[in-house]
Every structure is written in structure tokens, then in C-alpha cells.
Amino acid sequence: MTYHIYKRFEILTKDAVSYLIDALDALSNGDKKIQIHVNEKYYFDEEHCFKSVLKHDLTLPQRVQFHAYLKFLISHKRKVDGIDQWMRVIHNLSENTVIDGADEVARAIKSIEKLIPYSNNILEYLKGTKNPIDFFLSRQVQEEKIKAHLITKSEDWGNEIVKIEKHPYFKGQILFIFEFSGILEYFEQHGYCDWSSTDNSEYLSRFKKYANGAGAVFQSILKSSSDIDYYLIDFKQRKCWRVNRRFSC
């Protein structure tokens, strides 16, 4: 493409060039490989993503994630406090929202732009009752709000949530476990999860129970449907399922 075509379609603008320079500065690491800032590769694998960028081989959700990653580094001058939770939330939102065209990518990026000022403390933003998030699936946004309340409540909650989020079948979408354990109902009634220490132990126990059961079932689905003897049909009745002759309730 010639310069005039870039100019005609307003691709090569002053802002675009400035953004490109800022992005390259944020990614630069001398003569070494790209610097790793995100601790959990499941949510964002920096080295793999950068190689995919060079090969023009990013999926549309990955393009959204890469933009969120770059904007974090640029906006916070490479100070990476908070980047792990930021990329976890962005991963979950983008992987569980339909993004299959340029229009959806643009809308996702516009939504992220509104979140950038809060990106280094995204959990506190999510806990706010009047802090909207545009474009992304509303149910997934609600789920991330619940997680923000729980993750900031204790390390135990954070560990359990991350463990089940990373299940290859769920890809960060675990709202059904909150529903089964009664957490969703509580959150929808109160708008927060500030229950008593006794209730906290009970809710955490329920969450672990349903997370472990669901994880076992769907792991068997990934392996082979023949591993499942009985699958839970009526979730509302909290019935049991059996995997390899072991019951989970």
C-alpha cells in the first residue's frame, strides 16, 4: 500500500504513529527477548503472542488482549503492578464474548480504552456498583464483578477461582458454579459479598464442592464421553453425577 492510500483511509495519522512509537518503546528490551510481565501464561502468554503478532497470526480476541496489554504498559510507563489481574479480566471478557469481525474488535477496544485509567486496580473498579463496562457479554461482566469481591476477600478465594478458571473447558467462565453454590443469588440481592466469616466458610466450601465436581465431569468430557456414567441433568435440584464410578454432589 502506498502512503497516499494510508492517508486516504486515515491509517497513517499523527496519533497512529505516536501510538506505534509508544508501543515499540513499551516492548523494547534491548537485544534480549521480550520482557515477561504477566506471571500466568494461561491468561496472556507474552512471548507466544508477540511471535504471533510478527507472523500476523492473532485471533480476534487475541488482538483485543494484545491491545489491552500494550495500553497498560504505555499508560503506566511500564510499571506493572496490577497487570496480572488486568490481563486475567481482559482474557475472561474477550474469550467469552463473541468477537468475530472488525466491528466487534473496534467496540471491544473502545470499551477497554474506558477501563485503562483503572487498569492497575481493576478489581476495585469492578467492585464499584456504578462502574459500567460496555460491549462485553453482560453475564461475563457480572461474573467478573463477583470474582473481584471474592478475590479481594481472601487468598483462598483467589486460589480456588483461578484454579477452576483455568480448566480447559471453561476458559474463565464459571458463573454456573456461583449459581449452584448460592453466591450468585446473594450477589444479585445485595450487590456485594460481604457476608459473615461463618457464611464465608460455608460459601467457600460449596464453591469448592461444585468446582471440583464440575471440573471432574468436564475433564472427562474432554477425554471421552464414555468415561461419564451419569451426567447431571437437573442442575437446579442439585442432583449427583458420577464419573468413573465416583460420585460428586
Side-chain angles (χ1 to χ4, degrees), residues 207-230:
F207 180 86
K208 289 179 179 180
K209 178 175 66 175
Y210 289 112
N212 290 336
V217 168
F218 286 101
Q219 187 62 39
S220 291
I221 289 176
L222 289 174
K223 290 170 58 180
S224 171
S225 60
S226 63
D227 287 345
I228 302 177
D229 297 314
Y230 174 76

Side-chain angles (χ1 to χ4, degrees), residues 164 170 176-177 180-181 206-221 227-249:
I164 194 62
F170 302 145
F176 72 99
I177 299 176
F180 297 164
S181 55
R206 291 183 198 172
F207 180 86
K208 289 179 179 180
K209 178 175 66 175
Y210 289 112
N212 290 336
V217 168
F218 286 101
Q219 187 62 39
S220 291
I221 289 176
D227 287 345
I228 302 177
D229 297 314
Y230 174 76
Y231 181 64
L232 185 63
I233 299 298
D234 190 352
F235 286 126
K236 293 293 185 181
Q237 296 300 316
R238 305 294 192 265
K239 291 181 180 177
C240 300
W241 56 74
R242 188 173 68 175
V243 181
N244 293 329
R245 300 184 179 180
R246 295 178 61 186
F247 282 96
S248 298
C249 301

Side-chain angles (χ1 to χ4, degrees), residues 185-199:
E185 181 180 5
Y186 185 99
F187 181 80
E188 289 183 336
Q189 289 178 355
H190 300 88
Y192 52 78
C193 299
D194 295 336
W195 44 59
S196 68
S197 58
T198 301
D199 287 342

